[in-house]
Amino acid sequence: MAASPHRRAHRPERRKARVPVITVVAVAAVALVVSLAVAFRPGGGSDDVREAAAPVAGARVSGSATPSPAGTSASPSPSTSSSASASPSPTASGTTTASATPSKRASAKAAAPAARAASGAGPLAGRIRPGASYDGVATAYDAGDGSGACSFGPTSDVMTAAMNTADYETSKACGAYVAVRAAGGASITVRITNECPAPCAPGQLDLSRQAFAKLAPLSTGRIAITWSLLSPATSDTIAIRYKIGSSQYWCGIQAIGHRNPLARLEVRSGGSWVRLARTGYNYFLSEHGAGCGGAIRLTDVYGERLTVEGIAVRPDAVQSTRVQFARH
């Protein structure tokens, strides 16, 4: 590139005819000196090359930066909110990869039932939210005497169901009343007393054979359903049971017969309320005996709190209370 001015300055002089050789040499020498001075002066030809390249370099940077927001939106970190991933910016939506699109759809679908729930309808609800409708399938199993993972024990109530592991949510679904509707219009109400592990999928209910038969012939085996949480009418009150082996040094506590799903169980210890850890078999454990035999506070998924006192540590004994959660 730097040699071009030399050729452009030199060629016109050679096209002039019949000029003395000395003159030609002198003129060529002067042209050479001038060309070299121009080429190597500050801001000369070599800098012109760099300046010409600058816009190209800038274009490359701009080009690589444009997909960056899209890449971030298409592959959000686990801390990214679902609303942000479901509603990408216009730039990102134009460059989102095809593999990211199904993820967005799945997230939006999973969030849809919660979005349909009434605002404030269940501030402590987990996966099963009041006012939400869930799609799934129903299968049937022999519930036997009604015992199951919720540890309620035998029951004469045959309208029961086992909840899939995801919606069982470490026994948070235990005791919940659920309205189930089949595609043909038939509907039933069942109480969750058991867990249905894999291959039961999210949304699936494994109904007692008696409950399934009210929706479709047992020979059908598997039917599409929609289901939702109920807060039923009942005249029963809540009962408390201490687990076998409980004492003042260690205890497990269970609430039975609650109208609405139980969100928390706390005990009073040292002048304050201590929240106990929930187990998959539907007992709340006090590992070091804190609060065992003292006041108990129950909170449902709607946020209502009930306090029970005077329940002694009597392992495996069902002790009645005079309280019940409000109907919603």
Side-chain angles (χ1 to χ4, degrees), residues 62-158:
S62 176
S64 63
T66 301
S68 180
T72 302
S73 178
S75 303
S77 65
S79 61
T80 302
S81 66
S82 59
S83 59
S85 62
S87 302
S89 64
T91 302
S93 64
T95 54
T96 300
T97 61
S99 61
T101 303
S103 298
K104 289 183 181 3
R105 293 198 190 102
S107 298
K109 184 175 181 181
R116 293 197 295 270
S119 176
L124 296 178
R127 289 180 61 88
I128 305 175
R129 298 187 61 83
S133 180
Y134 299 85
D135 297 326
V137 297
T139 48
Y141 82 110
D142 184 0
D145 63 3
S147 299
C150 292
S151 305
F152 290 138
T155 177
S156 59
D157 179 11
V158 295

